[in-house]
Amino acid sequence: QRIDNKIIRPTAVYTGPEASAWAGHKQGKFATAQGNILAGPAVVDDMITAFENTKGRLAFRLLAALEAG
């Protein structure tokens, strides 16, 4: 999995041809979530939702996203 973000959009994401059964990404307003060997698209969806709905410090938002995934 590769991500290239130049601070402003667009963000480019590439998953190689030998990825597991489900590998992918989701881009939110202020974050992206991506990975290989994931259970399905709900993983990245939940991570973005948690990140964007958590208030406070960046550390709290990142932890919420990791716990959601």
Side-chain angles (χ1 to χ4, degrees):
Q1 195 97 31
R2 176 177 165 79
I3 184 167
D4 184 18
N5 186 339
K6 301 297 184 192
I7 305 300
I8 58 173
R9 292 195 173 157
T11 298
V13 179
Y14 173 74
T15 301
E18 296 182 31
S20 62
W22 198 92
H25 68 281
K26 180 173 183 168
Q27 182 170 339
K29 186 173 181 180
F30 299 111
T32 61
Q34 61 276 331
N36 295 320
I37 315 171
L38 300 177
V43 175
V44 291
D45 291 342
D46 292 347
M47 291 178 76
I48 292 297
T49 299
F51 182 89
E52 292 184 345
N53 291 329
T54 301
K55 304 296 181 207
R57 297 178 177 262
L58 176 61
F60 298 151
R61 299 175 81 187
L62 290 171
L63 185 57
L66 290 173
E67 288 174 344

